Protein backbone atom coordinates (compact mmCIF):
# COMPACT_ATOMS: atom_id res chain seq x y z
CA UNK A 1 0.00 0.00 0.00
CA UNK A 2 1.14 3.57 -0.60
CA UNK A 3 2.72 5.40 2.29
CA UNK A 4 0.63 7.95 4.09
CA UNK A 5 3.82 10.02 4.55
CA UNK A 6 5.20 11.70 1.44
CA UNK A 7 8.78 12.97 1.22
CA UNK A 8 7.57 16.56 1.57
CA UNK A 9 5.56 15.84 4.74
CA UNK A 10 6.89 18.00 7.56
CA UNK A 11 6.23 15.14 9.99
CA UNK A 12 8.84 13.04 8.17
CA UNK A 13 11.32 15.91 8.44
CA UNK A 14 10.62 16.34 12.15
CA UNK A 15 10.90 12.60 12.80
CA UNK A 16 14.13 12.42 10.78
CA UNK A 17 15.69 15.04 13.06
CA UNK A 18 14.70 12.92 16.05
CA UNK A 19 16.10 9.77 14.43
CA UNK A 20 19.31 11.65 13.65
CA UNK A 21 19.78 12.77 17.21
CA UNK A 22 19.26 9.27 18.62
CA UNK A 23 22.26 7.97 16.71
CA UNK A 24 24.60 10.99 16.86
CA UNK A 25 26.39 9.79 20.00
CA UNK A 26 27.04 6.36 18.48
CA UNK A 27 24.53 4.46 20.58
CA UNK A 28 20.77 4.16 20.15
CA UNK A 29 19.23 3.07 23.43
CA UNK A 30 15.85 1.44 23.97
CA UNK A 31 14.89 4.48 26.07
CA UNK A 32 15.61 6.76 23.11
CA UNK A 33 13.61 4.54 20.73
CA UNK A 34 10.71 4.51 23.17
CA UNK A 35 10.76 8.30 23.61
CA UNK A 36 10.94 8.85 19.82
CA UNK A 37 7.96 6.55 19.31
CA UNK A 38 5.86 8.07 22.10
CA UNK A 39 6.76 11.65 21.21
CA UNK A 40 5.84 11.22 17.55
CA UNK A 41 2.66 9.32 18.35
CA UNK A 42 1.47 11.96 20.80
CA UNK A 43 2.70 15.06 18.93
CA UNK A 44 1.12 14.05 15.62
CA UNK A 45 -1.88 12.16 17.07
CA UNK A 46 -1.03 8.87 15.32
CA UNK A 47 -2.01 5.28 15.95
CA UNK A 48 0.59 2.53 16.39
CA UNK A 49 0.71 1.58 12.69
CA UNK A 50 1.03 5.17 11.53
CA UNK A 51 3.74 5.85 14.11
CA UNK A 52 5.75 2.84 12.94
CA UNK A 53 5.30 3.94 9.31
CA UNK A 54 6.43 7.48 10.14
CA UNK A 55 9.52 6.19 11.92
CA UNK A 56 10.35 3.95 8.95
CA UNK A 57 9.91 6.83 6.47
CA UNK A 58 11.99 9.14 8.67
CA UNK A 59 14.73 6.54 9.09
CA UNK A 60 14.97 6.20 5.31
CA UNK A 61 15.00 9.99 4.82
CA UNK A 62 17.63 10.48 7.52
CA UNK A 63 19.81 7.77 5.98
CA UNK A 64 19.74 9.55 2.61
CA UNK A 65 20.35 13.06 3.98
CA UNK A 66 23.74 14.69 3.79
CA UNK A 67 22.90 17.40 6.32
CA UNK A 68 20.11 18.88 8.43
CA UNK A 69 19.27 21.67 6.00
CA UNK A 70 16.83 19.60 3.93
CA UNK A 71 14.71 18.87 6.99
CA UNK A 72 15.00 22.36 8.46
CA UNK A 73 14.04 23.96 5.15
CA UNK A 74 10.84 21.91 4.93
CA UNK A 75 9.99 22.61 8.57
CA UNK A 76 10.59 26.35 8.06
CA UNK A 77 8.15 26.37 5.14
CA UNK A 78 5.55 24.29 7.00
CA UNK A 79 5.56 25.54 10.60
CA UNK A 80 5.28 28.81 12.44
CA UNK A 81 7.65 29.89 15.22
CA UNK A 82 5.73 27.94 17.86
CA UNK A 83 5.76 24.78 15.74
CA UNK A 84 9.49 25.02 15.11
CA UNK A 85 10.00 25.51 18.84
CA UNK A 86 8.07 22.29 19.44
CA UNK A 87 10.49 20.47 17.13
CA UNK A 88 13.44 21.71 19.19
CA UNK A 89 11.64 20.68 22.38
CA UNK A 90 11.08 17.20 20.92
CA UNK A 91 14.79 16.99 20.12
CA UNK A 92 15.68 17.84 23.72
CA UNK A 93 13.33 15.07 24.90
CA UNK A 94 15.31 12.60 22.83
CA UNK A 95 18.63 13.97 24.09
CA UNK A 96 17.55 13.52 27.71
CA UNK A 97 15.90 10.11 27.14
CA UNK A 98 19.00 8.14 28.13
CA UNK A 99 19.93 10.42 31.02
CA UNK A 100 23.13 11.63 29.34
CA UNK A 101 23.81 14.62 27.13
CA UNK A 102 26.77 14.25 24.82
CA UNK A 103 28.49 17.22 23.21
CA UNK A 104 27.40 15.80 19.83
CA UNK A 105 23.74 15.81 20.83
CA UNK A 106 24.00 19.31 22.26
CA UNK A 107 25.67 20.51 19.06
CA UNK A 108 23.06 18.96 16.78
CA UNK A 109 20.21 20.58 18.70
CA UNK A 110 22.05 23.90 18.61
CA UNK A 111 22.59 23.65 14.83
CA UNK A 112 19.03 22.47 14.15
CA UNK A 113 17.57 25.24 16.31
CA UNK A 114 19.69 27.77 14.44
CA UNK A 115 18.52 26.43 11.06
CA UNK A 116 14.92 26.52 12.32
CA UNK A 117 15.26 30.13 13.42
CA UNK A 118 14.73 29.29 17.10
CA UNK A 119 16.59 31.90 19.14
CA UNK A 120 19.30 30.80 21.57
CA UNK A 121 17.22 32.13 24.48
CA UNK A 122 14.27 29.97 23.41
CA UNK A 123 16.47 26.92 22.78
CA UNK A 124 17.92 27.25 26.27
CA UNK A 125 14.46 27.71 27.80
CA UNK A 126 13.18 24.61 26.03
CA UNK A 127 16.19 22.65 27.23
CA UNK A 128 15.62 23.77 30.80
CA UNK A 129 11.95 22.84 30.64
CA UNK A 130 12.73 19.35 29.34
CA UNK A 131 15.64 18.74 31.70
CA UNK A 132 13.94 20.22 34.73
CA UNK A 133 17.08 22.35 35.18
CA UNK A 134 16.22 25.91 36.11
CA UNK A 135 19.78 27.05 36.71
CA UNK A 136 19.87 29.06 33.49
CA UNK A 137 23.05 27.46 32.21
CA UNK A 138 23.74 26.01 28.83
CA UNK A 139 27.01 24.52 27.63
CA UNK A 140 27.11 26.81 24.60
CA UNK A 141 26.61 30.15 26.32
Amino acid sequence: PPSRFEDNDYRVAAAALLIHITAIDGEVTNDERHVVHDTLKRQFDLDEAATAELIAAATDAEGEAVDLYRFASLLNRSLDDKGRGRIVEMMWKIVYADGRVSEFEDNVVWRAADLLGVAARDRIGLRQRVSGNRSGTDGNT
Side-chain angles (χ1 to χ4, degrees):
S3 173
R4 63 185 105 191
F5 301 104
E6 300 295 325
D7 286 342
N8 62 351
D9 190 322
Y10 79 93
R11 296 172 298 177
V12 173
L17 287 176
L18 301 186
I19 298 297
H20 181 74
I21 206 151
T22 62
I24 198 68
D25 64 358
E27 179 185 358
V28 180
T29 67
N30 286 332
D31 288 339
E32 288 171 326
R33 283 187 194 97
H34 180 74
V35 172
V36 166
H37 179 274
D38 287 351
T39 299
L40 293 172
K41 182 178 179 184
R42 187 172 45 258
Q43 182 68 42
F44 298 126
D45 194 26
L46 303 172
D47 61 23
E48 288 295 326
T51 303
E53 189 177 327
L54 176 57
I55 290 170
T59 300
D60 289 346
E62 195 279 328
E64 296 171 1
V66 294
D67 60 19
L68 303 178
Y69 180 78
R70 173 181 157 202
F71 305 126
S73 177
L74 177 57
L75 291 167
N76 283 332
R77 289 190 311 270
S78 304
L79 300 173
D80 60 11
D81 290 344
K82 187 176 179 181
R84 292 189 306 271
R86 279 194 307 269
I87 302 301
V88 173
E89 184 175 20
M90 291 164 55
M91 292 179 76
W92 281 126
K93 286 180 183 180
I94 305 313
V95 167
Y96 281 97
D98 63 3
R100 300 181 315 265
V101 178
S102 78
E103 64 186 80
F104 299 114
E105 292 168 327
D106 187 63
N107 183 266
V108 168
V109 177
W110 179 84
R111 288 184 323 177
D114 191 50
L115 288 170
L116 292 170
V118 175
R121 174 186 80 258
D122 296 333
R123 175 180 52 86
I124 293 166
L126 292 165
R127 178 182 187 165
Q128 290 171 349
R129 183 165 63 211
V130 169
S131 72
N133 173 8
R134 303 290 179 216
S135 69
T137 61
D138 184 328
N140 292 327
T141 59

